[in-house]
Every structure is written in C-alpha cells, then in structure tokens.
Amino acid sequence: MPHSQIIAGVDEVGRGCIVGPVIAAAVILDPERPITGLTDSKKLTERKREQLSSLIKQQSIAWAIGRAEASEIDQINILQASLLAMQRAVNSLSVQPSWLKVDGNQYPDSECPGETIIQGDLLVAEISAASIIAKVYRDGEMAILDSLYSGYEFSRHKGYPTKLHKEKLTELGVSEQHRRTFAPVKLML
C-alpha cells in the first residue's frame, strides 16, 4: 500500500439492536492532524465519545454516515443491511478513498479496493474513528426516537434488547421502528 493512498476506515453500529436503523460511518483521517485517544467506541465513556466525535469531524479529511432502516433490515437481513449502510457511507464521502479498512470479516459492495480487519475498531485509527462517529450518531437518533415514542426509554438502552427494553416492549407493544425479524420483537407479533 503506497504512502500516498487515501485510506477510509469503515464501521457500523446497531447490529445487535432490535429497533431503529443500523448506522455506518466512513472516515478519512488527516495524517497531518493525528487524534489521540481513538479506540473502539464501546471502550469509551459517552462524554469521551462525543468529544472525540466532534474532533474527528473537525480534523478529518472527510467523513460520512450511511444507514439502513429497520424495514430494510427486515427485508434483506441484518448482515446485508450493515454492508449496505457501509456502502452508502463510503459512497457519501466527499473525497473518494483509494483503500478501505473495514471492521469485521465482511466487505461491502464497493468499487474501492481494501481489506477487512477483525477487531479493527480496536486496532486501526481510521476504523476507531468511524466506530465513534457512528455510535454518537446512532445514540443521537435513539434520543430522537425516544421523544417520538415516549415510554420505550430508547435513550437509556439505545435500542439493545436489555431487560428494560423487553419490559417496555411487553408493556407498550411493537412500534413501527422495531425490527420485526428479530426474536424479541417477532415473539410479540
């Protein structure tokens, strides 16, 4: 990989959730403006993620968000929807990368060459950056859903199938934002 290559890191969040979209991000970091503290978004506090997210957006060469809605997830399955969200993120970048570094072991449908890296969000700065902005973006989306569908407490569990979320699902029923093909939701229908 020549030094002059433009590398984009790609990651998604929300695969394990039972409500809302899966969100992917693609980030091209600026080698002239390194950002310290990048790691897997799950290893950071909410406050630290938010600080890093705005820093990444300010200092990166380019960043973009891609998404696949709950209805798309139900149509094509979560893996395909995650790859679609990644593809949409890469296609939305204002600068086209010459190499992709993708978290995990599945590569999105892209003209751009690249590689998959298991635990990339922990090991590769570009992927960590993508993981952080995707997580902050999706958490923000959950806060919006929380205000639109009061009672489910989406801001608290972020859409993951926690005990609280399952209790709210039993109490309030399935919203149109829930993923109908996911077991805890499917059982309610």
Side-chain angles (χ1 to χ4, degrees):
M1 200 165 56
H3 184 67
S4 62
Q5 278 206 310
I6 299 170
I7 300 164
V10 186
D11 198 7
E12 53 64 38
V13 295
R15 265 177 82 160
C17 295
I18 58 171
V19 70
V22 62
I23 300 288
V27 178
I28 300 170
L29 292 175
D30 184 347
E32 305 293 308
R33 303 175 79 189
I35 299 168
T36 53
L38 294 178
T39 185
D40 175 358
S41 65
K42 293 184 284 298
K43 301 213 176 300
L44 299 165
T45 63
E46 189 170 355
R47 185 158 173 257
K48 189 66 182 160
R49 274 197 303 268
E50 286 169 2
Q51 289 169 343
L52 282 168
S53 178
S54 63
L55 204 57
I56 293 160
K57 289 174 179 180
Q58 287 162 26
Q59 294 187 202
S60 62
I61 291 170
W63 63 273
I65 296 287
R67 58 190 295 138
E69 303 304 331
S71 56
E72 292 177 293
I73 294 166
D74 288 338
Q75 279 165 14
I76 61 176
N77 82 38
I78 187 60
L79 172 61
Q80 295 309 317
S82 298
L83 293 170
L84 181 60
M86 287 181 179
Q87 179 191 353
R88 287 171 174 167
V90 171
N91 292 346
S92 298
L93 285 167
S94 59
V95 175
Q96 278 312 297
S98 51
W99 190 260
L100 298 182
K101 290 186 175 185
V102 180
D103 186 50
N105 62 0
Q106 300 278 335
Y107 199 79
D109 183 16
S110 176
E111 310 271 302
C112 187
E115 64 195 303
T116 57
I117 301 164
I118 306 266
Q119 284 198 305
D121 51 2
L122 201 57
L123 306 169
V124 178
E126 290 85 354
I127 298 175
S128 298
S131 141
I132 291 164
I133 66 170
K135 173 80 175 125
V136 170
Y137 186 92
R138 191 173 192 288
D139 286 357
E141 188 113 335
M142 285 293 104
I144 294 166
L145 282 184
D146 197 2
S147 65
L148 295 173
Y149 299 89
S150 68
Y152 289 97
E153 299 193 46
F154 292 138
S155 288
R156 283 182 61 194
H157 51 69
K158 311 295 193 234
Y160 288 93
T162 60
K163 184 173 182 279
L164 172 69
H165 192 173
K166 289 178 185 170
E167 285 167 6
K168 294 297 178 184
L169 204 52
T170 304
E171 189 186 312
L172 301 166
V174 177
S175 79
E176 63 257 38
Q177 296 296 323
H178 278 92
R179 301 174 184 175
R180 285 158 166 60
T181 52
F182 282 51
V185 180
K186 210 175 186 173
L187 293 170
M188 300 286 303
L189 296 170

